């Protein structure tokens, strides 16, 4: 690249990789506004953590009497958010970082293959194998298949599906199904592994966007509020899925995992601010790390979103409601979550 002269380029003879790499080689665009950037740490910490905690509180604190449809909205909106995050917020950026038309993707061994889909495919297959292994383990240990114990934690209460008719409070709320200890143990073991993989994928993405928020330039004004919504919606998806896991009463794990998600982006923003004069998000090293992590997370969330969430809730759940109005509401919430999160991808 040292011989490349951007002021004297013959497009017929120039190496396209040199042109692309030169355009991509700028440093970070940090332009001050330190106070606003510091405020983003606390705003995102509070909002994303609160939203992540909400579904867990809703199920573990029946006295709050959260309306059933509020919880359902959060649950299925969160499903749509996770799926849109996989395709729009992870796989697409991976192409922009290490895809065929990038500086990384046009140089060295990165130019030999389109790596983003390969990495995403590999991570999805790895999650599948882990999921299958967990299923076989539970089946061997308890003599029961995963599908037989799926989705037994929350039971929807409706006049049409319950006898005798529910009270007014029951129509507005949902109850926790109390499982016997063995059923609770096998359900927990089946679900916790899938959830940890999901949170692992989301947290990777949160680290990257947090670092970038600390050093972006003109885009900061738009990116700041967008990321507040972005992290809140992702947190909602995380919290809802965690709320259905049958943790033992008094367990600290759900609260700790909620907090882990809430802290990830603020800590990353703080780190970004700490290295604001030296960190270059456009360098080859940064692009390779971000691209590989984004593609890996995309594969995890694609599998989790489509298999563990969408197909499990709508297609293979033997306890799925037969109430067509409720099914329509679930579908609309899922589509809304996917659509809104995909729209946010225009800015973040």
């Amino acid at each position: 690249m040292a011989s490349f002269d951007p002021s004297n380029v013959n497009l017929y003879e120039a190496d396209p990789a040199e042109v692309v790499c030169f355009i991509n080689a700028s440093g970070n665009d940090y332009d001050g506004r330190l106070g606003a950037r510091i405020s983003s740490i606390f705003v995102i910490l509070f909002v994303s953590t609160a939203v992540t905690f909400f579904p867990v509180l809703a199920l573990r604190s029946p006295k709050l009497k959260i309306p059933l449809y509020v919880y359902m909205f959060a649950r299925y909106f969160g499903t749509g958010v996770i799926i849109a995050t996989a395709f729009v917020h992870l796989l697409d950026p991976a192409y922009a970082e290490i895809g065929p038309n990038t500086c990384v993707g046009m140089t060295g061994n990165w130019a030999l293959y389109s790596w983003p889909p390969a990495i995403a495919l590999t991570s999805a297959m790895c999650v599948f194998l882990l999921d299958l292994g967990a299923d076989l383990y539970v089946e061997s240990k308890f003599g029961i298949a995963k599908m037989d114990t799926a989705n037994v934690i929350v039971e929807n209460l409706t006049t049409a599906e319950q006898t005798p008719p529910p009270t007014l409070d029951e129509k507005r709320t949902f109850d926790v199904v109390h499982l016997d200890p063995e059923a609770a143990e096998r359900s927990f073991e089946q679900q916790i592994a899938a959830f940890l993989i999901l949170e692992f994928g989301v947290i990777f993405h949160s680290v990257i966007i947090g670092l970038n928020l600390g050093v972006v330039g003109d885009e900061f004004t738009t990116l700041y509020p967008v990321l507040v919504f972005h992290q809140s919606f992702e947190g909602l998806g995380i919290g809802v899925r965690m709320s259905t896991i049958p943790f033992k009463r008094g367990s600290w794990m759900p609260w700790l995992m909620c907090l882990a998600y809430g802290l990830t982006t603020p800590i990353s923003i703080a780190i970004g601010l700490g290295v604001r004069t030296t960190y270059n998000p456009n360098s080859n090293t940064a692009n390779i790390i971000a691209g590989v992590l984004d593609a890996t997370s995309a594969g995890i969330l694609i599998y989790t979103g489509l298999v563990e969430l969408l197909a499990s809730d709508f297609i293979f759940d033997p306890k799925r409601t037969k109430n067509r109005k409720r099914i329509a509401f679930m579908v609309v919430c899922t589509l809304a979550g996917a659509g809104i999160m995909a729209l946010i991808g225009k800015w973040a």
Side-chain angles (χ1 to χ4, degrees), residues 4-346:
F4 180 72
D5 182 5
S7 63
N8 184 23
V9 179
N10 185 334
L11 294 179
Y12 292 101
E13 299 177 358
D15 181 355
E18 290 186 338
V19 176
V20 171
C21 289
F22 175 80
I23 294 172
N24 195 63
S26 62
N28 72 58
D29 300 318
Y30 177 77
D31 59 358
R33 292 182 285 184
L34 184 60
R37 294 175 196 268
I38 292 175
S39 75
S40 70
I41 296 175
F42 299 100
V43 171
I44 292 177
L45 171 63
F46 174 77
V47 176
S48 62
T49 303
V51 173
T52 308
F53 272 112
F54 167 74
V56 182
L57 284 170
L59 270 185
R60 296 174 73 88
S61 302
K63 292 181 180 179
L64 294 178
K65 293 186 177 180
I66 304 297
L68 170 62
Y69 274 89
V70 172
Y71 176 81
M72 286 179 61
F73 170 80
R75 175 170 181 166
Y76 296 105
F77 186 88
T79 294
V81 166
I82 294 298
I83 295 171
T85 297
F87 288 99
V88 178
H89 294 264
L90 291 170
L91 190 57
D92 183 60
Y95 273 98
E97 290 151 351
I98 60 173
N101 296 320
T102 65
C103 178
V104 173
M106 298 175 74
T107 55
N109 291 329
W110 293 97
L112 300 179
Y113 194 76
S114 180
W115 290 105
I119 295 171
L121 174 63
T122 301
S123 68
M125 290 299 99
C126 287
V127 175
F128 158 68
L129 293 175
L130 289 172
D131 199 23
L132 178 61
D135 193 14
L136 293 175
Y137 167 75
V138 171
E139 187 174 347
S140 173
K141 182 176 180 180
F142 296 102
I144 188 168
K146 180 177 180 179
M147 284 301 298
D148 295 332
T149 58
N151 299 314
V152 296
I153 307 305
V154 179
E155 180 179 282
N156 295 336
L157 300 174
T158 61
T159 303
E161 295 176 339
Q162 184 178 9
T163 303
T167 65
L168 178 62
D169 280 344
E170 287 176 329
K171 290 179 182 178
R172 294 177 57 253
T173 63
F174 45 87
D175 289 349
V176 177
V177 177
H178 298 285
L179 305 179
D180 65 82
E182 182 176 312
E185 182 182 353
R186 66 175 176 256
S187 184
F188 175 79
E189 290 185 4
Q190 289 165 350
Q191 294 181 58
I192 190 63
F195 173 79
L196 290 175
I197 292 170
L198 170 64
E199 185 166 33
F200 178 75
V202 172
I203 282 180
F204 264 167
H205 177 49
S206 298
V207 169
I208 294 168
I209 61 177
L211 286 171
N212 289 340
L213 186 63
V215 298
V216 293
D218 294 338
E219 302 96 333
F220 175 78
T221 303
T222 302
L223 194 59
Y224 182 176
V226 168
L227 284 188
V228 172
F229 288 101
H230 180 284
Q231 292 305 103
S232 297
F233 291 156
E234 280 190 357
L236 189 62
I238 289 289
V240 166
R241 288 302 148 180
M242 185 157 42
S243 70
T244 63
I245 300 176
F247 291 100
K248 293 180 180 178
R249 185 174 299 276
S251 172
W252 50 266
M253 286 185 66
W255 314 111
L256 183 62
M257 288 190 286
C258 281
L259 188 61
Y261 171 79
L263 286 172
T264 300
T265 299
I267 290 175
S268 299
I269 296 172
I271 294 172
L273 289 176
V275 297
R276 61 187 180 277
T277 59
T278 56
Y279 174 64
N280 180 6
N282 298 316
S283 69
N284 269 21
T285 301
N287 280 326
I288 290 171
I289 293 173
V292 171
L293 292 182
D294 278 345
T296 301
S297 299
I300 292 172
L301 265 63
I302 287 172
Y303 178 88
T304 303
L306 296 180
V307 178
E308 295 285 350
L309 305 184
L310 201 64
S312 179
D313 283 350
F314 288 93
I315 307 298
F316 301 119
D317 180 10
K319 296 182 179 293
R320 188 195 67 196
T321 179
K322 294 179 175 59
N323 186 317
R324 296 300 176 87
K325 178 182 177 181
R326 183 167 294 177
I327 292 175
F329 179 77
M330 292 157 56
V331 170
V332 169
C333 290
T334 302
L335 295 178
I340 293 174
M341 197 64 175
L343 178 62
I344 289 177
K346 175 178 173 59

